[in-house]
Amino acid sequence: MAARGHVQDPNDRRLRPIYDYLDNGNNKMAIQQADKLLKKHKDLHCAKVLKAIGLQRTGKQDEAFTLAQEVAVLEPTDDNSLQALTILYREMHRPELVTKLYEAAVRKVPTSEEYHSHLFMAYARVGEYKKMQQAGMALYKIVPKNPYYFWSVMSLVMQAISAQDEKLSQTMFLPLAERMVEKMVKEEKIEAEAEVQLYFMILERLGKYVEALEVVQGPLGEKLTSELQSRENKCMMLYRRLERWAECNALSCKLLLKNPDDWQFYILYFDSLFYLIDQSWAPPQEGAHSAEGEVHASTAQAISFMEDRIATEEAKESKHLRGPYLACLELIRRLRERSCPEAQQLGEPLELMFQFFVKFGDKPCCITDLEIFLDLLTPDQHVQFINRVMEAVPLGAPGEDGVALPGDTRALQRHLCVTQLSRSLGQQHALNTEGKLGLIKELKAHYRHGLQFGKSCLKTELQFSDMYCLMAAHVYIDLWLETGDQNMLWQCLGLLEEGLSHSSSNAQFKLLLLLLYCRLGAFEPVVDLYSSLDAKHVQHDTIGYLLTRYAESLGQFAAASQSCNFSLRFFHSNQKDTSEYIIQAYKYGAFEKIPEFIAFRNRLNHSLHFAQARTERMLLDLFLEADTSSPLEESVKSMSLCPEEDDIPWDSLRDNRDLTVLVSWNPKDRQLKEEHKQHSLEDDTLWLRLRSLTLRLIGCVSALTHLPASRNSEKTTENGVAAKPSSLQSLLSQLENTLNQATQFTEKQLQHPYPFVGPVPSRLAQALSSGCCQCQLSSLQLPLHLQELETAGLDESTELQTQISNLFKSLAVQLQDMLEKCKGDLLDVKDDQSKPQQFLLENLVYFVETVCIVLWVSNYCGSVLRPLKSSLQKKKKKKKEASTVTPPVLSAYQEFSSSLQSLLNQALEHIKSQEISLTALKLGALSLEGQTQSEAEETFTKTAMDKVQSSYLRSLQEIGELLKKRADTLKSLKI
């Protein structure tokens, strides 16, 4: 609860039991205790608020809010009530109410430093920057402390950052902030480093780099001490902005002499060097080269400088630094790019890389260091380089299997690095099938041999030889993709499961297993794998998409809800958490972090994955619950879904996915390219558009009402959502256009597939292939025609009835076609090999989703046709007509209802038959016959197969249950 130890309140003793109950999570007892106290002390406001907190935590939000407002209206000024109300409003996600609370408190106690401070922080939570500025100055006038003054200055900067008009921020907010700081500088009142940082930030945003440089280099700059080389880094940045390349070069030289391993200074050194060469810069005849000292402005000086750095390293007996050696390779690359013959003076890249390997080959970073420079080798040098570095690996004599193994971890690391380099140069990919199988055998031998070095490792530590196992898995995947041999994939899964049994914390094993199981259509094992990754904070956005992409599409609806909740919980808490970070930044003067926190919050609020998870979760809830446990209208109302409002920020969507999270060591031509990322973003955005429009159209269908009177007026449902025919027409038109775009995109995308370890394809291609998108569009067009029929009546609408009848028939045919695409064995057994056909599972899910939408639309159609039929019968009775001719639309609707019943029965029978055949299948015995695997390997491969089989059964069971629920609602369609 709130920090209450310091509160000297006479009622504190009485309130303490309620605080304790709330702290321990015993909310019911807290409510009871508060009621007892309120009987004796009716005016004890804090007890009321504490009771409201108990009610809020037991799900009685409305009661809690009413009770809280009773106290808030009285404008309390006691600390207990204010803090309790603050906690309650934060739990209600209503931070704007806290500002009103403290505004009232400040009015009543205008000299309270504490209340003014709380008011400032309340404004910070809701981003009221103008009011923050005013509150900060009011606070400074009461208590003239520097931090309060600079809170006000920072609030001006935030107004500048958030201003829509850049001109306004540059001409009003920032100049005012600058003048405020300059006033403190002139009065010599600058005390802390944070204040100098803020001054620097203002000048930088105003583009006053010369003035900023003077601040950093002047007396104020001496206060910049919290970060190592803080002044130098700022000077370097400003020199770069001002294009003062001579100073930039001289300063980077000085810094490299102090720290020859700092890569950022090498990059700045090279950048400035070549700018100076291009400008034909010459040193002045008299005086220093620059304000920072000597400048290097020729390739000869740069080469000499690099040679000196390497000579210094060579003179050391131990603890060599990698920076100078890598910088030498970087300089060669840059000189070659400019076709400078001087590149040869630094030596042959092959030799330099070999020397680097000799010194650092036993470090895991060696591969990532050298990988960047492999393109300096010519293709005919690749084999020579690998042979050369292999000579520097101390291996023992070959064993019975002909594999020479390392004797310690350092030799193991060297050999592993050579193997990784070999893959990065494309040598593994160039092998034929037999060569790759031989390579896998060798990698497995090295992996299992290396396990002996990690016997004393903790469970949380990785085994030294894990990367051999991972590489072997990648070679298996290469074989599977090239040959289509399913056994390669089964063995890959078995190997990764074996690796995970020895190294339970290896994230790469888990991620690759997760991806492979999803590609096979088995989601059940993925839930535990993702959970064991223990993803933290922003990782729910960067890698969470791997989970939410597959959950629902593979028929695991319960797990899909859980997956979406994982992600959404993070996104929703981000808003609250970021506000707290901002407040802490103000308290501790970390002003430069505040814009970063706000940019981070915006980035997450505009996340593509956030929009996907939110949309999919709402659709999933409707598919699972609407019209089974609660009516569609109520389900839509509970989501506060407004069909006419599109709440997805399409123009500012951010793709925060980490598409490089999987290690692969692929050569350059097989790596993820920028065009893959762009295509993937377009792919996911198109799918999100389709799903969002479908969701909004379902909202439209739920909102439609059928009032015989005032047919042309706007119709409004009880939940306040207007069901305008125009909005329905508009959304249908958008859906049709998006569907056309999606079809064109998919045709184009099929010719340019992503790399296996690249982006995960969206559900778009499979959805279009299954026919669900077109079928859903056809069904959602029906309400428009039914509204016309409702207006015209059955007597005057023969042509319209024929049109609607044809739509019903077409819909039945489309649904039958969709069901046909679901038929087939999920595990297709041929020639003693089992081939998973996960697309059948996805098609089945699309069929079920489409059935849900068709049933909701049919329900609406029934509600329109019932009164029309009743009205027709009454007319016939009055006219005493004996005609038994049923209007075509009514016959077509009844036939459609019957065909739906038949269709669902077929689907349920197909699911049941699949469950029976899957249960009877002995998968392990089939797929492992004729395979040369050890007993241990067979065990792990069988485990993987069992997981796939079990997952398929679980998916079929959940799909079947949902379909049965939907079949039960068919009775309501009778007219």
Side-chain angles (χ1 to χ4, degrees):
M1 286 298 297
R4 56 181 187 276
H6 70 285
V7 178
Q8 299 302 313
D9 191 298
N11 291 310
D12 196 35
R13 181 177 51 79
R14 295 183 185 125
L15 294 169
R16 183 155 290 148
I18 310 176
Y19 280 124
D20 291 337
Y21 283 130
L22 288 171
D23 282 344
N24 296 326
N26 197 340
N27 299 312
K28 286 185 180 176
M29 282 302 295
I31 294 167
Q32 287 175 23
Q33 190 69 28
D35 282 333
K36 281 182 192 174
L37 196 55
L38 286 166
K39 279 178 186 174
K40 294 180 185 175
H41 306 275
K42 290 181 181 177
D43 296 330
L44 192 51
H45 304 320
C46 187
K48 257 188 187 179
V49 182
L50 295 176
K51 179 186 175 183
I53 291 173
L55 290 167
Q56 167 72 16
R57 291 176 183 178
T58 49
K60 297 175 182 174
Q61 285 89 350
D62 293 342
E63 283 181 56
F65 185 70
T66 306
L67 208 56
Q69 290 309 92
E70 286 176 19
V71 177
V73 165
L74 300 171
E75 299 185 348
T77 55
D78 65 292
D79 209 20
N80 277 344
S81 297
L82 287 170
Q83 289 201 28
L85 277 167
T86 300
I87 288 166
L88 176 63
Y89 289 149
R90 276 168 63 188
E91 288 186 11
M92 287 178 165
H93 304 292
R94 298 288 301 276
E96 71 282 358
L97 296 176
V98 180
T99 60
K100 291 176 183 174
L101 205 60
Y102 279 102
E103 280 168 357
V106 162
R107 277 197 302 274
K108 287 190 173 181
V109 192
T111 57
S112 168
E113 179 184 0
E114 187 181 355
Y115 290 168
H116 273 282
S117 177
H118 281 307
L119 177 60
F120 180 88
M121 295 309 174
Y123 286 142
R125 280 196 180 89
V126 293
E128 290 270 12
Y129 302 125
K130 187 171 177 58
K131 289 183 178 178
M132 283 165 70
Q133 180 202 344
Q134 293 163 350
M137 283 312 293
L139 192 51
Y140 181 69
K141 284 172 186 173
I142 297 164
V143 188
K145 292 179 182 175
N146 267 24
Y148 299 151
Y149 185 87
F150 283 94
W151 284 4
S152 183
V153 175
M154 185 63 212
S155 303
L156 264 172
V157 175
M158 289 313 301
Q159 285 179 69
I161 291 170
S162 59
Q164 299 291 325
D165 185 0
E166 181 65 23
K167 191 179 176 185
L168 193 65
S169 68
Q170 289 293 321
T171 56
M172 189 172 90
F173 296 126
L174 289 172
L176 179 56
E178 184 190 9
R179 286 198 297 276
M180 285 178 75
V181 182
E182 281 174 351
K183 177 177 178 288
M184 297 296 272
V185 173
K186 284 173 188 171
E187 292 173 8
E188 296 185 354
K189 288 184 180 178
I190 298 287
E191 296 170 356
E193 180 184 1
E195 294 156 18
V196 181
Q197 292 274 21
L198 181 53
Y199 190 21
F200 179 82
M201 190 199 304
I202 293 164
L203 292 171
E204 191 188 354
R205 287 184 178 274
L206 280 167
K208 294 186 174 182
Y209 302 127
V210 175
E211 291 87 339
L213 194 59
E214 287 168 4
V215 169
V216 175
Q217 291 176 333
L220 289 176
E222 290 171 13
K223 294 184 186 293
L224 301 170
T225 55
S226 64
E227 291 178 32
L228 197 65
Q229 296 176 331
S230 178
R231 290 178 83 179
E232 290 88 343
N233 284 333
K234 281 183 166 52
C235 284
M236 191 75 84
M237 181 189 74
L238 292 168
Y239 286 143
R240 196 181 178 94
R241 294 261 176 89
L242 291 165
E243 296 188 1
R244 286 163 64 168
W245 300 113
E247 283 83 357
C248 190
N249 182 276
L251 182 56
S252 56
C253 264
K254 280 200 294 193
L255 292 170
L256 284 171
L257 289 170
K258 279 186 192 175
N259 183 3
D261 210 33
D262 197 322
W263 189 251
Q264 63 168 330
F265 297 138
Y266 281 112
I267 297 301
L268 285 165
Y269 174 72
F270 293 139
D271 286 349
S272 58
L273 170 77
F274 290 113
Y275 272 114
L276 291 170
I277 290 171
D278 290 342
Q279 291 168 5
S280 305
W281 183 89
Q285 291 179 347
E286 291 180 13
H289 283 196
S290 72
E292 296 291 349
E294 188 186 349
V295 177
H296 294 174
S298 69
T299 51
Q301 285 173 299
I303 290 167
S304 174
F305 183 66
M306 287 297 107
E307 285 172 346
D308 289 347
R309 300 288 64 71
I310 287 174
T312 307
E313 285 305 307
E314 293 292 344
K316 291 182 183 177
E317 289 184 11
S318 61
K319 291 191 177 177
H320 293 289
L321 300 176
R322 291 149 44 224
Y325 298 96
L326 294 171
C328 200
L329 289 165
E330 176 66 19
L331 183 54
I332 291 173
R333 185 208 296 282
R334 293 194 181 215
L335 289 169
R336 282 190 177 183
E337 283 170 1
R338 300 165 73 88
S339 305
C340 294
E342 294 94 333
Q344 295 174 2
Q345 293 176 30
L346 286 159
E348 185 59 43
L350 188 149
E351 185 60 35
L352 292 171
M353 288 160 82
F354 171 71
Q355 293 300 334
F356 185 86
F357 179 81
V358 170
K359 284 185 174 61
F360 306 107
D362 55 359
K363 291 181 168 53
C365 60
C366 185
I367 176 64
T368 48
D369 286 342
L370 288 180
E371 220 172 8
I372 306 163
F373 299 106
L374 289 177
D375 58 340
L376 294 177
L377 300 174
T378 58
D380 57 345
Q381 287 182 316
H382 290 179
V383 176
Q384 184 190 347
F385 174 62
I386 294 300
N387 291 342
R388 188 86 192 279
V389 290
M390 197 67 195
E391 289 168 9
V393 179
L395 296 177
E400 290 178 16
D401 54 1
V403 179
L405 300 168
D408 57 29
T409 53
R410 293 182 70 175
L412 181 149
Q413 189 57 53
R414 282 184 181 279
H415 181 267
L416 178 60
C417 183
V418 176
T419 315
Q420 291 166 330
L421 286 167
S422 167
R423 184 166 178 83
S424 294
L425 288 168
Q427 291 187 353
Q428 292 185 5
H429 297 88
L431 296 171
N432 59 19
T433 302
E434 199 176 324
K436 282 178 180 158
L437 288 170
L439 174 63
I440 289 170
K441 185 182 173 186
E442 189 182 325
L443 291 169
K444 283 184 188 175
H446 277 280
Y447 168 61
R448 289 173 185 137
H449 169 74
L451 292 174
Q452 63 181 303
F453 302 125
K455 284 178 181 174
S456 59
C457 287
L458 299 173
K459 278 190 176 179
T460 50
E461 292 178 321
L462 305 186
Q463 290 289 331
F464 292 102
S465 59
D466 274 356
M467 288 303 177
Y468 285 119
C469 180
L470 189 66
M471 193 179 293
H474 278 289
V475 182
Y476 268 132
I477 291 168
D478 293 342
L479 280 169
W480 169 55
L481 294 172
E482 287 165 17
T483 65
D485 184 350
Q486 201 64 36
N487 279 326
M488 295 297 105
L489 190 52
W490 292 126
Q491 288 181 59
C492 176
L493 285 168
L495 181 61
L496 288 168
E497 290 283 1
E498 181 185 348
L500 205 53
S501 71
H502 294 298
S503 192
S504 57
S505 296
N506 193 310
Q508 286 297 325
F509 288 167
K510 291 174 187 177
L511 286 166
L512 193 52
L513 272 170
L514 187 150
L515 193 60
L516 289 170
Y517 279 128
C518 284
R519 292 281 176 100
L520 286 172
F523 193 76
E524 196 175 45
V526 166
V527 180
D528 290 336
L529 281 168
Y530 186 81
S531 179
S532 69
L533 276 170
D534 199 18
K536 293 282 191 292
H537 202 255
V538 76
Q539 287 177 319
H540 287 301
D541 189 18
T542 57
I543 61 172
Y545 72 94
L546 290 168
L547 203 62
T548 50
R549 152 65 181 89
Y550 285 104
E552 192 205 350
S553 66
L554 298 176
Q556 305 252 333
F557 303 122
S561 285
Q562 193 183 359
S563 305
C564 289
N565 285 342
F566 267 150
S567 294
L568 291 176
R569 202 177 298 127
F570 160 67
F571 286 113
H572 290 144
S573 68
N574 158 56
Q575 199 72 22
K576 187 174 72 175
D577 293 347
T578 311
S579 297
E580 296 310 310
Y581 304 151
I582 292 166
I583 285 167
Q584 293 306 313
Y586 270 106
K587 279 183 180 175
Y588 295 106
F591 297 124
E592 74 278 9
K593 295 295 172 194
I594 294 168
E596 291 177 27
F597 287 140
I598 288 167
F600 178 70
R601 178 169 65 192
N602 292 340
R603 183 170 182 164
L604 290 179
N605 287 344
H606 296 163
S607 166
L608 171 68
H609 179 222
F610 179 29
Q612 287 171 328
R614 200 170 68 231
T615 306
E616 290 297 340
R617 177 63 212 261
M618 290 165 88
L619 280 168
L620 188 60
D621 284 349
L622 291 175
F623 292 140
L624 294 178
E625 304 295 336
D627 277 356
T628 53
S629 56
S630 63
L632 177 63
E633 296 82 9
E634 280 185 26
S635 298
V636 170
K637 184 183 175 182
S638 69
M639 292 174 179
S640 306
L641 174 65
C642 181
E644 287 160 22
E645 288 180 15
D646 189 354
D647 60 353
I648 295 173
W650 296 106
D651 295 333
S652 55
L653 275 180
R654 293 295 297 267
D655 185 4
N656 297 332
R657 297 172 299 166
D658 184 354
L659 300 176
T660 57
V661 68
L662 283 160
V663 173
S664 69
W665 312 284
N666 280 339
K668 208 165 187 178
D669 61 323
R670 290 173 179 255
Q671 285 173 6
L672 184 66
K673 295 180 178 65
E674 199 54 45
E675 65 193 60
H676 292 136
K677 293 179 186 177
Q678 286 302 318
H679 284 163
S680 174
L681 177 58
E682 193 180 343
D683 187 2
D684 275 46
T685 307
L686 274 170
W687 175 245
L688 177 60
R689 272 192 194 279
L690 283 175
R691 298 295 271 182
S692 172
L693 287 166
T694 304
L695 176 64
R696 289 166 66 197
L697 278 161
I698 293 169
C700 267
V701 170
S702 79
L704 292 169
T705 55
H706 330 292
L707 305 172
S710 65
R711 296 204 181 273
N712 298 322
S713 65
E714 277 190 9
K715 302 172 181 180
T716 307
T717 54
E718 289 174 8
N719 65 1
V721 178
K724 300 177 188 172
S726 59
S727 69
L728 183 64
Q729 177 68 65
S730 166
L731 288 171
L732 283 168
S733 175
Q734 287 178 55
L735 183 61
E736 197 165 0
N737 289 337
T738 308
L739 205 49
N740 291 334
Q741 285 177 43
T743 308
Q744 289 168 15
F745 173 81
T746 309
E747 287 168 2
K748 185 176 68 178
Q749 185 56 34
L750 289 171
Q751 298 162 13
H752 306 284
Y754 308 127
F756 182 80
V757 291
V760 174
S762 80
R763 296 168 62 186
L764 184 63
Q766 193 58 42
L768 291 172
S769 164
S770 72
C772 79
C773 298
Q774 193 55 51
C775 189
Q776 287 172 17
L777 176 63
S778 300
S779 66
L780 289 163
Q781 285 169 338
L782 271 167
L784 272 183
H785 299 293
L786 263 293
Q787 283 181 329
E788 285 180 50
L789 183 68
E790 192 180 13
T791 308
L794 289 176
D795 298 332
E796 310 291 328
S797 57
T798 313
E799 194 178 325
L800 182 59
Q801 285 189 58
T802 308
Q803 194 179 348
I804 295 170
S805 302
N806 290 337
L807 261 175
F808 279 129
K809 286 172 188 171
S810 165
L811 204 51
V813 171
Q814 286 180 65
L815 282 166
Q816 187 65 54
D817 287 345
M818 280 188 70
L819 183 57
E820 291 305 316
K821 289 178 182 174
C822 302
K823 290 180 178 176
D825 291 326
L826 272 174
L827 280 166
D828 186 27
V829 179
K830 280 181 186 172
D831 304 324
D832 285 340
Q833 280 201 21
S834 56
K835 184 182 178 184
Q837 300 193 101
Q838 69 282 357
F839 64 90
L840 295 174
L841 200 56
E842 289 194 58
N843 285 353
L844 203 50
V845 171
Y846 291 129
F847 174 75
V848 175
E849 286 184 4
T850 308
V851 163
C852 292
I853 292 170
V854 167
L855 285 170
W856 292 326
V857 170
S858 302
N859 200 18
Y860 165 71
C861 295
S863 67
V864 171
L865 294 174
R866 252 178 241 113
L868 289 175
K869 182 183 178 184
S870 174
S871 172
L872 185 70
Q873 286 171 338
K874 282 176 187 173
K875 281 181 187 175
K876 282 182 180 177
K877 278 181 184 176
K878 278 182 185 177
K879 293 179 181 179
K880 295 182 181 178
E881 288 179 15
S883 169
T884 56
V885 177
T886 306
V889 70
L890 297 179
S891 306
Y893 179 75
Q894 285 165 342
E895 281 173 27
F896 180 64
S897 301
S898 303
S899 66
L900 267 180
Q901 182 72 62
S902 164
L903 205 63
L904 292 186
N905 289 341
Q906 284 180 56
L908 287 167
E909 280 172 24
H910 168 65
I911 290 169
K912 195 173 181 181
S913 70
Q914 278 298 294
E915 284 178 327
I916 292 166
S917 64
L918 266 175
T919 308
L921 195 62
K922 301 289 183 214
L923 196 54
L926 278 173
S927 289
L928 295 174
E929 281 182 16
Q931 296 302 313
T932 54
Q933 284 191 301
S934 66
E935 197 174 320
E937 286 179 280
E938 278 192 24
T939 306
F940 287 113
T941 307
K942 281 178 181 174
T943 302
M945 290 176 167
D946 290 342
K947 284 181 179 179
V948 172
Q949 193 171 2
S950 164
S951 180
Y952 284 175
L953 283 165
R954 173 77 172 270
S955 296
L956 287 169
Q957 182 190 346
E958 290 200 32
I959 293 168
E961 283 171 5
L962 180 54
L963 215 48
K964 278 175 195 167
K965 276 187 189 176
R966 290 296 163 201
D968 292 341
T969 64
L970 275 169
K971 297 165 191 170
S972 65
L973 299 185
K974 290 180 181 175
I975 57 167

